[in-house]
């Protein structure tokens, strides 16, 4: 007869072994599970990355030619920065922000836009104490939990610029002109500039009442989930994609027709500056920006080539934002464009050539060692060069030089090493010559004009 204690011990050991096996199988399954990037978040790699780098360069050069200075703010900010800055009643704060508690229990958000962060930095570093006008720009990732589609992602990038400290419309005109020049430099026939004014604290309340009364008469044509908004933010009606609403939206009273004298003068002055600067625009009273901080100027650059996501970028004036975030009252105006949307537009008009200046090719082992050294000398001289690292045959190295669209192919073997020469092949002209090793760097620099 088996002792009951022994039986129990055997049973327990078997149970533990089974549980262990089950855990191991689950762990194996997990290891084999494909790990993919998060929906709406993309890798930007070869060949697209070259276009991104070129665009970034042109954006920087353009903005810096106006005296804007780059600022890089953290991707994470206290959640209440955007609640106070962008507005609790906006889609961005209500539905789209990535907000979570960190290990300390503090509420943190991934930034959905750049203006609130830059404004926080302005206050924190007291930039306005040092200068009357602050002009900054940024390029970087932003995060919004939206439904991904062409031109709309959950991690996307913005290029943006802001001017603080100027109340008159010259600052608005300069922001718009910088943008316009950028799109000109990129040879984009579009985008079209659509311009409006969303008034100020003086004229907006009276207009809101007029609009509310009008919407009250059409409740049956307005989706029920919008009804509470009629009281809080009735202008968002112009942003509704609802078919019934769109039919009558054009007949609703427009804020542009109810501006106070000061807002009207500001808007007229902006239009006059833009005309002077030869920046074309159309007045579009139906523009509603999705952020609450705007007053007076509101504008968008739009393109027909982007499908449903037609906004290339948007911006406007925000004279209360600094105060709302806790700083001294300071006027501000700015713009941000969507980088991915710019890529989509530019892809159609610009072919970026990512060519290597030189590829050093080795015919044998002695040549391979010399090739690595020569490639380094060429890079020191600012020449973009590749040499083989994998010990490929001469034929496959030549094939790779073709693939990299090398302008020059430099061939080294033991014969050349002994003679102190390099064979240089002009890949465009299909000509070949032998040049002294001591002169090769200067020879290529001259040929490339660097
Ligand atoms: P926004 O209109 O919310 O303005 O965004 C500016 C641009 O960012 C849009 O026009 C669009 O091109 C791009 N964008 C927005 N969301 C996405 C997305 N999910 N996927 C791809 N692109 C997107 C602002 O953010 C303001 N901070 C602009 C500003 C600066 N106003 C004054 N200064």
């Amino acid at each position: 007869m088996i002792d009951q204690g022994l039986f129990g011990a055997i049973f327990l050991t078997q149970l533990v072994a089974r549980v262990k096996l089950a855990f191991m199988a689950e762990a194996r399954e997990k290891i084999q599970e494909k790990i993919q990037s998060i929906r709406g978040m993309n890798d930007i790699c070869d060949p697209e990355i070259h276009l991104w780098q070129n665009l970034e360069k042109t954006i920087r050069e353009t903005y810096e030619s106006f005296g804007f200075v780059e600022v890089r703010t953290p991707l994470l900010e206290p959640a209440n920065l955007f609640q106070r800055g962008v507005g609790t009643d906006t889609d961005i704060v209500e539905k789209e922000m990535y907000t979570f508690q960190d290990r300390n229990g503090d509420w943190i958000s991934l930034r959905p836009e750049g203006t609130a962060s830059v404004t926080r930095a302005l206050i924190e570093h007291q930039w306005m104490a040092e200068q009357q006008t602050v002009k900054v720009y940024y390029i970087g990732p932003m995060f919004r939990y939206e439904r991904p589609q062409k031109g709309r992602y959950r991690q996307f990038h913005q290029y943006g610029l802001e001017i603080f400290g100027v109340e008159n419309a010259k600052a608005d005109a300069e922001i718009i002109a910088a943008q316009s020049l950028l799109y000109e430099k990129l040879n984009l026939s579009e985008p079209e500039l659509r311009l409006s004014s969303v008034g100020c604290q003086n004229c907006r309340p009276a207009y809101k009442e007029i609009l509310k009364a009008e919407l009250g008469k059409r409740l049956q044509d307005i989706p029920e989930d919008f009804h509470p908004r009629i009281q809080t933010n009735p202008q968002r009606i112009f942003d509704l994609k609802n078919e019934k609403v769109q039919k009558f939206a054009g007949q609703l009273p427009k804020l542009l027709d109810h501006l106070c004298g000061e807002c009207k003068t500001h808007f007229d002055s902006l239009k006059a500056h833009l005309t002077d600067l030869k920046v074309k625009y159309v007045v579009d009273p139906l523009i509603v920006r999705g952020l609450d901080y705007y007053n007076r100027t509101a504008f968008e650059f739009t393109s027909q080539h982007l499908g449903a996501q037609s906004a290339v970028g948007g911006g406007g004036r925000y004279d209360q934002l600094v105060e709302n975030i806790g700083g001294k009252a300071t006027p501000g105006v700015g713009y941000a464009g969507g980088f991915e949307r710019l890529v989509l537009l530019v892809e159609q008009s610009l072919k970026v050539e990512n060519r290597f200046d030189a590829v050093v090719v080795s015919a044998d082992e002695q040549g391979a060692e010399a090739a690595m050294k020569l490639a380094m000398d060429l890079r020191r001289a600012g020449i973009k060069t590749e040499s083989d690292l994998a010990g490929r045959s001469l034929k496959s190295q030549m094939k790779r030089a073709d693939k990299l669209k090398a302008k020059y192919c430099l061939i080294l073997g033991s014969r050349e090493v002994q003679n102190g020469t390099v064979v240089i092949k002009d890949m465009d002209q299909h000509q070949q010559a032998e040049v002294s090793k001591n002169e090769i760097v200067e020879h290529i620099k001259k040929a490339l004009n660097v």
Side-chain angles (χ1 to χ4, degrees):
M1 220 178 96
I2 303 178
D3 176 322
Q4 274 205 342
L6 180 62
F7 184 74
I10 293 171
F11 177 74
L12 206 66
T13 318
Q14 281 182 346
L15 190 71
V16 169
R18 269 200 204 140
V19 171
K20 255 190 189 167
L21 273 175
F23 268 124
M24 277 162 67
E26 197 185 312
R28 244 197 324 273
E29 234 169 63
K30 280 213 172 120
I31 288 169
Q32 281 160 5
E33 207 176 86
K34 224 176 170 184
I35 300 178
Q36 285 188 311
S37 64
I38 295 169
R39 191 161 121 84
M41 305 204 177
N42 301 308
D43 299 312
I44 302 137
C45 31
D46 196 12
E48 207 185 14
I49 190 70
H50 304 295
L51 181 53
W52 278 65
Q53 288 172 335
N54 277 6
L55 280 178
E56 268 183 39
K57 192 163 166 263
T58 312
I59 292 168
R60 284 176 202 287
E61 278 169 10
T62 309
Y63 289 172
E64 284 170 15
S65 76
F66 282 80
F68 289 90
V69 179
E70 186 180 6
V71 53
R72 297 186 191 185
T73 59
L75 302 193
L76 295 173
E77 294 277 4
N80 64 2
L81 169 66
F82 302 108
Q83 284 154 3
R84 271 159 68 180
V86 175
T88 40
D89 200 29
T90 57
D91 277 354
I92 297 180
V93 172
E94 243 179 26
K95 305 184 204 153
E96 296 169 2
M97 276 215 300
Y98 284 86
T99 299
F100 54 91
Q101 275 181 297
D102 70 6
R103 288 172 194 273
N104 194 34
D106 296 327
W107 285 100
I108 305 281
S109 291
L110 276 164
R111 62 181 190 189
E113 58 109 48
T115 312
S117 303
V118 171
T119 305
R120 184 213 28 83
L122 173 104
I123 300 167
E124 201 167 318
H125 306 294
Q126 299 175 12
W127 290 337
M128 290 308 296
E130 288 154 28
Q131 41 195 322
Q132 287 185 319
T133 309
V134 169
K135 292 166 74 172
V136 287
Y137 78 89
Y138 48 89
I139 306 176
M142 308 290 161
F143 303 84
R144 294 184 193 176
Y145 194 82
E146 294 192 81
R147 198 167 49 77
Q149 54 177 266
K150 185 182 163 200
R152 190 163 75 190
Y153 313 96
R154 290 184 175 169
Q155 175 175 326
F156 62 99
H157 297 71
Q158 282 187 345
Y159 51 99
L161 69 176
E162 319 284 348
I163 297 181
F164 293 93
V166 184
E167 202 174 348
N168 75 62
K170 275 189 187 159
D172 312 48
E174 185 159 292
I175 291 279
I176 292 174
Q179 240 11 82
S180 181
L181 181 63
L182 172 66
Y183 298 144
E184 239 171 81
K185 279 191 180 181
L186 295 171
N187 273 329
L188 300 176
S189 54
E190 278 191 305
E192 185 174 52
L193 168 59
R194 314 183 80 81
L195 195 62
S196 188
S197 173
V198 293
C200 69
Q201 287 157 316
N202 297 331
C203 45
R204 230 171 355 207
Y207 165 74
K208 252 180 157 179
E209 291 310 314
I210 298 172
L211 184 60
K212 271 191 216 170
E214 202 55 41
L215 294 180
K217 291 183 210 159
R218 298 176 183 263
L219 282 181
Q220 72 284 0
D221 292 331
I222 300 172
E224 256 181 44
D225 57 353
F226 189 82
H227 289 187
R229 278 244 162 117
I230 296 181
Q231 294 310 315
T232 55
N233 204 347
Q235 285 114 299
R236 296 300 299 272
I237 194 82
F238 296 109
D239 222 12
L240 272 193
K241 301 282 180 271
N242 180 284
E243 226 176 273
K244 269 192 185 168
V245 171
Q246 282 184 344
K247 267 192 196 144
F248 67 79
Q251 295 137 36
L252 290 170
K254 315 282 178 319
L255 181 47
L256 210 51
D257 300 323
H258 292 82
L259 294 181
C260 63
E262 282 182 30
C263 286
K264 192 172 175 318
T265 308
H266 196 274
F267 191 50
D268 289 343
S269 156
L270 170 59
K271 288 187 287 183
H273 288 312
L274 291 177
T275 307
D276 283 347
L277 298 175
K278 297 193 174 62
V279 175
K280 284 196 201 131
Y281 63 85
V282 288
V283 173
D284 180 355
L286 296 185
I287 289 181
V288 185
R289 305 278 302 118
L291 307 98
D292 273 356
Y293 48 60
Y294 294 112
N295 66 304
R296 296 194 171 154
T297 312
F299 65 97
E300 276 180 353
F301 280 89
T302 58
S303 165
Q304 291 171 354
H305 299 306
L306 289 174
Q309 306 307 315
S310 64
V312 176
R317 178 163 279 280
Y318 46 85
D319 294 335
Q320 273 76 50
L321 181 61
V322 181
E323 226 176 335
N324 287 347
I325 292 180
K328 259 204 240 150
T330 308
V333 55
Y335 171 84
F339 207 105
E340 285 80 358
R341 296 188 190 175
L342 188 59
V343 168
L344 287 170
L345 284 185
V346 171
E347 258 171 358
Q348 297 157 7
S349 61
L350 195 84
K351 272 260 166 292
V352 181
E353 288 242 294
N354 176 38
R355 294 189 69 176
F356 267 80
D357 294 326
V359 170
V360 186
V361 160
S362 49
D364 47 40
E365 219 167 282
Q366 217 181 342
E369 253 173 56
M372 208 166 166
K373 283 188 218 150
L374 176 58
M376 190 64 185
D377 288 344
L378 289 164
R379 289 167 190 149
R380 281 209 172 97
I383 296 162
K384 186 172 165 180
T385 308
E386 171 155 303
S387 74
D388 174 55
L389 299 175
R392 292 191 186 92
S393 70
L394 178 62
K395 197 172 155 200
S396 72
Q397 287 180 59
M398 293 299 288
K399 263 197 194 158
R400 183 157 166 79
D402 255 344
K403 201 171 155 212
L404 295 174
K405 300 198 187 86
K407 293 174 192 160
Y408 293 96
C409 195
L410 307 177
I411 307 161
L412 276 168
S414 43
R415 188 187 77 88
E416 286 75 24
V417 173
Q418 270 152 30
N419 294 347
T421 59
V422 179
V423 172
I424 173 167
K425 189 170 171 188
D426 183 327
M427 303 291 272
D428 294 332
Q429 308 294 329
H430 303 286
Q431 284 168 359
Q432 197 164 306
E434 197 156 347
V435 176
S436 151
K437 187 177 158 276
N438 299 333
E439 287 162 19
I440 189 72
V441 175
E442 279 313 308
H443 182 96
I444 295 203
K445 271 173 81 176
K446 215 166 146 197
L448 289 169
N449 225 351
V450 289

